[in-house]
Amino acid sequence: MIAAYAFHGQGEEAIHLFEEMQGRGLEANEVTFLSLLYACSHCGLRKKGMELFEMMEKQCGLKPSVQHYTCMVDLLGRSGCLSEAEDMIRSMRVKPDAAIWKTLLSACKINKEADMAQRIAEEVLRLQPQDSSSYVLLANAHASAGRWKDVSEVWKAMRDKNVKKEPGVSWLEIKNQVHQFCMSDKYHPEYEKIESYLKELIAEIKKKASVLHDMGVEEKEYNLTHHSEKLAVAFALMHTPPGMPIRIMKNLRICGDCHAAFRCISEVRNSEIVVRDGSRFHHFRNGKCSCGDYW
């Protein structure tokens, strides 16, 4: 239950349940603390996360694994404490893996720290030379800093090393049938109808809010309108009764533009949209998301 609360962005509920566990004398283990730290990192609960991390070892006698440290690096990174996060990686008692460096790289992109991103990307690519997401994060970090020459060099390096970007894929089920969408997927039998509907929908929500903003290089490379999750939402709205919840699965992290668009769509169409991306659940209702735009 604590893990479920964490994945759905309900950090306070996760902590409350942990406190109830303590009150009943139930013993917490490594998995309990991993779920708690994940909840704190995705809800901006920096102070509580630090307390739990200290409690884990000092009070419960549990040694943190690289996964626990990764949650802490994510927590610090999202709070803007990038130097502190890097110091933690370099001083921790377990060997860092590519995932923890990539977590810090993502924080560099969010905080527009291009110089640090370059250094951290080298750590990731030393461990995983063919990891496409690291190149994309680095390129977006340079783009956020307006370093377009560096952006071009990153994409060139990807081409030279034959690194392929993992395509975004989304799934949803309607009337016991699973429908799959890829970016700019023109092979779906209703593609033209979906494209037409989506253009009208995007035009409608743009009248209410400036959705297409702060586009990074990843988004500029492709037509934002044709991201797989947007195609899936349009198809669902076309084939479900008004007000019926829409549930979508995606293999990658939802991009900022699609996230903003879904907030607007949930308000304009009075719909509940639930997206399970590569990291967590997002519940869009009445123009807001359960993650509080913190993901």
Side-chain angles (χ1 to χ4, degrees):
M1 282 303 303
I2 291 174
Y5 278 130
F7 278 115
H8 288 271
Q10 300 182 37
E12 296 287 354
E13 290 83 349
I15 293 169
H16 175 75
L17 199 58
F18 172 65
E19 292 171 348
E20 186 176 338
M21 275 183 63
Q22 290 182 301
R24 296 188 180 192
L26 298 174
E27 187 175 344
N29 60 16
E30 291 88 346
V31 177
T32 314
F33 280 99
L34 185 61
S35 299
L36 287 166
L37 295 176
Y38 183 91
C40 290
S41 72
H42 279 267
C43 297
L45 304 175
R46 180 177 178 272
K47 182 179 179 181
K48 189 63 179 180
M50 299 294 287
E51 291 176 2
L52 289 167
F53 187 70
E54 186 175 350
M55 176 194 298
M56 177 182 174
E57 190 166 15
K58 292 186 176 180
Q59 294 185 26
C60 300
L62 301 171
K63 293 183 179 180
S65 68
V66 68
Q67 287 81 16
H68 295 96
Y69 279 109
T70 299
C71 286
M72 290 304 298
V73 167
D74 190 39
L75 178 63
L76 293 169
R78 290 171 185 270
S79 303
C81 305
L82 300 183
S83 296
E84 189 176 345
E86 184 177 2
D87 290 342
M88 175 172 281
I89 296 176
R90 297 192 184 280
S91 63
M92 65 187 197
R93 288 167 289 179
V94 292
K95 186 178 180 180
D97 60 7
I100 195 169
W101 285 116
K102 198 186 303 183
T103 298
L104 182 54
L105 178 58
S106 180
C108 292
K109 180 251 182 183
I110 293 171
N111 290 278
K112 301 181 180 181
E113 291 287 346
D115 289 333
M116 187 175 187
Q118 182 69 52
R119 183 176 71 253
I120 301 305
E122 291 173 0
E123 297 284 358
V124 180
L125 296 173
R126 179 175 55 83
L127 297 170
Q128 291 184 344
Q130 295 298 112
D131 181 62
S132 62
S133 62
S134 298
Y135 284 97
V136 172
L137 286 170
L138 178 58
N140 279 327
H142 285 311
S144 66
R147 298 181 174 184
W148 301 110
K149 182 180 178 181
D150 292 329
V151 170
S152 299
E153 290 179 357
V154 173
W155 289 113
K156 183 179 183 300
M158 282 187 73
R159 291 192 296 270
D160 292 344
K161 296 177 182 179
N162 198 30
V163 177
K164 303 295 183 182
K165 181 181 177 297
E166 182 180 0
V169 181
S170 297
W171 302 265
L172 77 160
E173 182 179 338
I174 295 179
K175 296 180 180 179
N176 298 321
Q177 184 176 358
V178 176
H179 298 265
Q180 177 177 303
F181 295 89
C182 299
M183 180 148 30
S184 301
D185 187 0
K186 298 183 179 180
Y187 296 101
H188 194 281
E190 295 188 46
Y191 176 76
E192 292 184 1
K193 292 180 180 179
I194 296 171
E195 184 179 37
S196 177
Y197 181 89
L198 192 52
K199 285 182 179 179
E200 294 177 4
L201 181 61
I202 294 298
E204 183 178 352
I205 64 177
K206 285 180 72 175
K207 291 179 182 178
K208 291 184 173 287
S210 178
V211 175
L212 307 183
H213 65 286
D214 294 336
M215 293 190 302
V217 66
E218 181 184 7
E219 287 78 29
K220 286 182 177 179
E221 188 184 4
Y222 301 103
N223 187 332
L224 286 168
T225 305
H226 295 82
H227 277 191
S228 64
E229 57 267 52
K230 281 202 185 80
L231 295 172
V233 164
F235 181 81
L237 290 171
M238 291 167 58
H239 291 278
T240 56
M244 177 176 286
I246 296 170
R247 296 180 174 86
I248 295 171
M249 298 281 289
K250 188 186 178 184
N251 63 328
L252 303 177
R253 178 181 178 273
I254 187 172
C255 79
D257 178 81
C258 288
H259 192 275
F262 286 1
R263 282 196 287 102
C264 291
I265 291 171
S266 71
E267 183 176 15
V268 170
R269 287 289 185 267
N270 192 29
S271 298
E272 177 186 354
I273 304 171
V274 181
V275 179
R276 173 61 164 99
D277 69 3
S279 177
R280 61 179 295 164
F281 282 89
H282 297 264
H283 296 257
F284 299 91
R285 297 188 188 95
N286 302 318
K288 297 180 180 179
C289 180
S290 59
C291 75
D293 298 335
Y294 192 94
W295 86 102

